[in-house]
Amino acid sequence: MLTATRRFEFSAAHRYWRDDWSQAENQRVFGKCISPYGHGHNYTLDVTITGTLDPRTGMVMNMTELKALVNEVLEEFDHKHLNEDTPYFKDQLPTTENLVRVLWQLIAAHLPTVARLAHLRIYEQPDLWADYDGAEETTFARAYSFAAAHRLHAPALSAEENRAVYGKCNNPNGHGHNYTLEVSVTGPHDPATGMVIDLEAMDRSVRAVLDQLDFCHLDHEVAAFADKPSTAENIVVYLWDELAPRFEGRLSHLKLWETRKNVFTYTGPHSV
Ligand SMILES: [Zn+2]
Ligand SMILES: [Zn+2]
């Protein structure tokens, strides 16, 4: 499949609140997002289209045309209050998951017949986004960070082999990283909250797991790495095993950035 992606940006305010819930219930589920005055974001939207390559132009679709039609759609959202100024969030909350589906409908309806929408990703913040490809389910993702020391050293290998395999990472006194973990959860969204997952609960679950690693030495303080090397591959599998039971089968993938240059993705033991 050949795809083309163009990035867009717009800024908007919104508020999460359900009139049929108590203040306490709204607060528990939506946290700070319940402020009556609203708050705002710089949204980033990645629009991916696919279609047949036109041999005359060498394009699926002219990106200038895509830019114009998506900007026309976004005019209704840019510098607006999503709850108050658009018609789309009278009966549903303007969550990232609902917003990506609304934008899908609007953009898909505007596309010329030569192209079709393949994927939308919308970032509400650099560390919070939703993915949608027109199916029943939506993916919600959030990035978290933790800092830890470690030493790459395999008990099964000799001292010399360890030095040869791991190089600088085998330094006996250890070294450390700022790790970033992207957690993606896929499922139907709850019509009451407009969310695939309760955001506050997701934060609590992920932090509970990451706090056991944060500001620690992985090999000395985390039992799972006492007898196996704390490679990013082993860490991402460990994190999957810790997180998956907390997400009731909805964890779809984990992406662990060890540095800005090394990234490891795991989609669980049952996927190919
Ligand atoms: Zn918000
Ligand atoms: Zn390292």
Side-chain angles (χ1 to χ4, degrees):
M1 181 163 82
L2 181 65
T3 65
T5 301
R6 184 170 176 105
R7 175 162 284 190
F8 297 86
E9 291 178 343
F10 64 98
S11 302
H14 70 168
R15 183 199 184 202
Y16 297 167
W17 176 266
R18 283 192 64 99
D19 283 335
D20 56 339
W21 286 4
S22 67
Q23 168 86 20
E25 185 67 355
N26 273 291
Q27 170 84 47
R28 189 186 67 76
V29 177
F30 302 131
K32 281 185 184 169
C33 302
I34 66 172
S35 165
Y37 308 109
H39 64 280
H41 300 286
N42 295 324
Y43 290 93
T44 300
L45 175 69
D46 289 337
V47 178
T48 301
I49 54 122
T50 188
T52 309
L53 185 61
D54 181 337
R56 292 168 306 146
T57 61
M59 297 173 176
V60 169
M61 179 182 172
N62 191 326
M63 294 304 257
T64 309
E65 198 189 337
L66 180 65
K67 179 182 166 189
L69 75 84
V70 175
N71 275 336
E72 200 181 310
V73 167
L74 293 180
E75 206 142 291
E76 215 179 352
F77 300 84
D78 188 32
H79 286 75
K80 300 287 169 59
H81 191 302
L82 299 178
N83 307 63
E84 305 297 332
D85 300 325
T86 78
Y88 308 110
F89 304 104
K90 302 302 176 197
D91 302 318
Q92 60 177 353
L93 294 174
T95 58
T96 327
E97 294 95 315
N98 279 338
L99 183 54
V100 78
R101 296 167 83 100
V102 165
L103 290 171
W104 179 281
Q105 296 289 341
L106 295 170
I107 295 169
H110 278 67
L111 280 180
T113 47
V114 293
R116 71 179 171 79
L117 208 45
H119 192 87
L120 285 186
R121 171 174 284 192
I122 186 163
Y123 291 89
E124 187 183 275
Q125 300 184 137
D127 64 353
L128 188 161
W129 63 94
D131 285 300
Y132 188 58
D133 62 8
E136 267 308 294
E137 300 193 322
T138 312
T139 295
F140 177 79
R142 187 138 213 216
Y144 301 85
S145 60
F146 63 97
H150 76 152
R151 175 198 187 197
L152 292 186
H153 186 88
L157 303 177
S158 70
E160 198 182 324
E161 286 171 324
N162 268 297
R163 276 195 298 278
V165 171
Y166 299 124
K168 279 203 272 191
C169 301
N170 186 238
N171 173 32
N173 292 321
H175 64 282
H177 301 287
N178 291 321
Y179 293 91
T180 298
L181 180 70
E182 296 178 10
V183 180
S184 296
V185 180
T186 302
H189 69 301
D190 178 346
T193 61
M195 295 175 178
V196 169
I197 180 109
D198 177 340
L199 179 57
E200 297 282 317
M202 177 171 177
D203 283 350
R204 279 193 297 274
S205 296
V206 178
R207 279 308 344 163
V209 170
L210 294 186
D211 283 351
Q212 293 175 28
L213 312 183
D214 201 16
F215 285 78
C216 289
H217 190 298
L218 299 177
D219 315 327
H220 297 316
E221 296 179 85
V222 182
F225 302 108
D227 58 358
K228 67 174 172 233
S230 49
T231 57
E233 293 91 324
N234 278 338
I235 297 171
V236 78
V237 172
Y238 162 82
L239 289 171
W240 180 280
D241 292 342
E242 292 289 310
L243 288 168
R246 299 168 190 252
F247 288 99
E248 298 163 354
R250 291 185 170 196
L251 191 60
S252 54
H253 86 250
L254 292 181
K255 194 166 176 180
L256 180 67
W257 296 81
E258 186 187 48
T259 66
R260 277 192 227 168
K261 295 174 188 165
N262 288 335
V263 60
F264 303 83
T265 301
Y266 189 52
T267 52
H270 305 300
S271 53
V272 182

